[in-house]
Structures are given as C-alpha cells and as structure tokens.
Amino acid sequence: MSEQLHKNFTDKQVKLLLKSYVDKEIKINYILQILGIKRSRFFELLNIYKKDPDNFSIQYNRKTINRKIDKAIEINIIKELNREKDLIKAKGVPIKCYNYSYIKDILVNDYNQRVSLSTIINRAKGNGFYITKPKRKVHDREVITNYPGELIQHDSSHHRFAPYAEKWYLITSIDDYSRLILYACLVERETTWPQSYNKFHR
C-alpha cells in the first residue's frame, strides 16, 4: 500500500501526521495504521519532512522514472519562475520565496497546462529557482491580562501587502489574552477609527 501513498493521501495530510509525531501528539503505531506503511518507510518520510517541512511532498518518493514533460510546459514553468524571481529581487515587495502552488495555478488558468507540484519544484531546483523558507520567529510577547476582552490592542503597519499594489495601512485590533485578531482593515490613509470603520468596514 505504501506505493499507493500518493494516491490515497495528500501532501497536507501526511505532513500533518508527521508534524503531530514530531510534536509528540500521536504515536507511530497510529500513523502506521492510518497510512498503511512499515516503520522503515515512515522514518524515510520523516527524514525528508525534517529536512524541508515547507516543501515536503510524498510525490518526491515515488520510485518511478522522472518522465519528460512537454517542451511548452517546460518553457512556461521557467517563464513564471523568472517572474517570481523578479518579484523576490524587487525592493519593497513582500515576497521572499517562490510560490510553486501559485505557478501551478497559473499554468492551468493562463496556459491550460496541467503539471504536478513536484514537477514544478524539481524544475525549480534544477534551474536555480529555489530558496529555503526562513524559520518563523517565535513570539515571546507576554500576555498581561487574565481573561478575553480585558485589553484590546490597536496597531497599524504600513507595507506593500501585494507585489503590484501601492503601500497600504493595515489597522488591527488584537485581544491581548487570546491573541485573536478581532478587527483588520486595509486603508489608503491612516485616519481616526470611526472614519476608517465607516468607510471600509462591511
């Protein structure tokens, strides 16, 4: 059944199980039973996951020959990867790594070409379009309240939230206790709360 793993489960499902194992939330026997694989196969997947959790894919581990794809698809993959590269290099653009899933969607929507995500990633690695995603910083902000709603923190940040957009202000309200975002709104100008709310809030 392990050879059919990619047909029975998605990358996201397998990643969730591996992450749960790493976080010591579930035991290995439970995962083996769900996936229908042996311990050796599990640890093979686990090692690949640990090396690069963000880009982990069970498609990498198929024991099949890497078949050639249509030349037109190959050209468009490289073309879109170059566009991503230009955005990553552009100053002030909030893009730091390649979005292979987005390129997969572009191929379908703009070129009517279907190709697997693993194929795009393999082409990216083979042509120098690969950047390891930086590890997220752990938030160490201390919670100073005792229950939800006791303190609402208002904040504003000024960024380009999309590569082809101008800079916008993101105004947020965050509950200090739960860290949940209670309100978020993008505005062109930083004004008083009532004005922002009436103009942009639905």
Side-chain angles (χ1 to χ4, degrees):
M1 182 176 176
S2 62
E3 295 180 356
Q4 302 298 317
L5 191 63
H6 63 282
K7 294 183 179 180
N8 297 321
F9 300 93
T10 64
D11 291 343
K12 187 176 182 180
Q13 290 172 328
V14 178
K15 282 176 65 174
L16 181 60
L17 289 172
L18 293 173
K19 183 180 185 304
S20 298
Y21 174 80
V22 172
D23 294 340
K24 298 181 180 181
E25 295 176 351
I26 57 178
K27 295 184 178 180
I28 184 174
N29 291 337
Y30 180 68
I31 299 177
L32 297 180
Q33 184 178 1
I34 293 177
L35 299 180
I37 59 177
K38 296 181 179 180
R39 293 176 69 91
S40 59
R41 174 62 166 162
F42 168 79
F43 286 110
E44 178 186 346
L45 293 171
L46 182 64
N47 287 333
I48 296 173
Y49 169 77
K50 286 183 176 180
K51 289 179 180 178
D52 191 359
D54 292 325
N55 294 303
F56 171 83
S57 173
I58 54 179
Q59 301 296 328
Y60 295 161
N61 305 288
R62 293 175 61 185
K63 296 180 180 180
T64 57
I65 298 174
N66 186 17
R67 298 178 180 176
K68 293 183 178 180
I69 60 175
D70 187 90
K71 187 64 177 178
I73 298 178
E74 186 97 33
I75 291 173
N76 288 331
I77 290 176
I78 302 302
K79 175 182 176 182
E80 295 303 325
L81 285 169
N82 270 308
R83 287 186 178 180
E84 290 270 307
K85 184 177 181 179
D86 290 340
L87 291 175
I88 293 172
K89 287 185 174 181
K91 293 183 179 180
V93 176
I95 294 179
K96 303 301 180 184
C97 56
Y98 294 93
N99 188 336
Y100 305 118
S101 295
Y102 173 73
I103 293 176
K104 182 174 182 285
D105 292 338
I106 288 293
L107 291 173
V108 173
N109 298 328
D110 292 0
Y111 304 101
N112 196 27
Q113 297 173 337
R114 297 185 180 276
V115 64
S116 68
L117 182 61
S118 61
T119 297
I120 295 174
I121 294 175
N122 287 335
R123 294 305 186 278
K125 289 182 175 179
N127 291 276
F129 298 101
Y130 185 80
I131 300 175
T132 303
K133 291 184 178 180
K135 293 183 178 180
R136 293 183 178 180
K137 295 182 179 179
V138 178
H139 292 283
D140 56 356
R141 182 178 295 175
E142 182 181 357
V143 176
I144 60 176
T145 52
N146 301 307
Y147 53 83
E150 185 178 359
L151 174 64
I152 306 299
Q153 298 179 357
H154 301 296
D155 198 3
S156 174
S157 57
H158 193 214
H159 298 289
R160 289 176 65 181
F161 292 94
Y164 299 111
E166 297 296 327
K167 281 190 174 182
W168 283 59
Y169 289 93
L170 174 63
I171 299 175
T172 57
S173 297
I174 303 175
D175 176 60
D176 177 74
Y177 184 83
S178 65
R179 310 308 303 163
L180 292 177
I181 297 177
L182 306 179
Y183 173 85
C185 182
L186 287 171
V187 295
E188 294 182 45
R189 292 183 301 126
E190 199 173 28
T191 59
T192 59
W193 278 97
Q195 291 175 331
S196 301
Y197 185 90
N198 293 333
K199 186 175 181 180
F200 295 98
H201 184 67
R202 290 186 176 182

